[in-house]
Amino acid sequence: MTQERTLSIIKPDATRRNLIGKIITKFEDGGLKIVAQKKIQLTQKLAEDFYAVHKDRPFYSDLVNFMISGPVVVQVLEGDDAVIRNREIMGATNPAEAADGTIRKEFAESLEANSVHGSDSLDNAKIEIEFFFDKNEIVG
Ligand code: CMP
């Protein structure tokens, strides 16, 4: 097992329903430590840039509009195999396919309003962490 860091976002559907604490508890109980965290309102430009990899997908503009529809919590999670561990704790992207006990199974409203985002690889985790955090904002 390797110590890794990954980027996590608690999305507007979850902040709107006051679920931040319940979601953070899932990460902590799952063995991940929060080493950076802030609640922010994304601008259209930030959301477009963050999801630029999806810019040719049919859901891109809806996704951007959803991500700016309310505040989000961006955070860096640290732990053994954090990228995969985070994805296990979140559950499948589509909540209809998410396993019992996962965040998306318990809290997500739909494929779009799926409560959390997590980096899909270690390379993307580095890029996504740097997108939101300066080095001095991350405290292990
Ligand atoms: P996320 O992990 O944040 O990465 C991209 C997001 O696009 C995804 O979670 C979903 O919330 C959203 N999305 C909307 N429609 C789709 C789709 N058809 N396939 C994948 N992701 C989708």
Side-chain angles (χ1 to χ4, degrees), residues 3-136:
Q3 278 281 304
E4 293 176 353
R5 286 176 173 172
T6 190
L7 185 89
S8 165
I9 305 178
I10 302 177
K11 296 187 180 185
D13 66 287
T15 62
R16 189 177 297 125
R17 288 176 290 147
N18 220 15
L19 292 172
I20 296 170
K22 288 197 171 96
I23 288 175
I24 289 170
T25 297
K26 291 274 194 195
F27 292 128
E28 292 186 335
D29 287 352
L32 296 175
K33 181 177 174 184
I34 295 158
V35 294
Q37 189 178 58
K38 53 191 172 190
K39 188 179 190 185
I40 56 173
Q41 172 65 51
L42 290 177
T43 61
Q44 175 142 359
K45 168 94 172 86
L46 270 176
E48 285 174 353
D49 289 351
F50 182 77
Y51 279 119
V53 65
H54 294 305
K55 68 178 184 315
D56 297 326
R57 307 284 288 273
F59 57 83
Y60 179 65
S61 64
D62 283 347
L63 173 62
V64 168
N65 284 331
F66 166 64
M67 290 300 288
I68 64 174
S69 68
V72 298
V73 175
V74 291
Q75 49 194 4
V76 180
L77 307 177
E78 182 182 81
D80 287 330
D81 300 324
V83 172
I84 284 179
R85 187 77 197 105
N86 179 35
R87 295 179 71 76
E88 288 169 353
I89 295 167
M90 289 192 299
T93 305
N94 185 345
E97 294 160 13
D100 285 349
T102 62
I103 290 170
R104 284 166 170 160
K105 175 74 175 191
E106 283 188 26
F107 303 123
E109 294 182 316
S110 65
L111 175 56
E112 178 176 84
N114 64 355
S115 299
V116 279
H117 164 82
S119 309
D120 65 0
S121 68
L122 194 53
D123 285 346
N124 281 338
K126 289 196 171 74
I127 294 166
E128 292 183 356
I129 289 169
E130 281 177 18
F131 185 91
F132 283 114
F133 292 96
D134 291 333
K135 276 208 166 51
N136 64 5

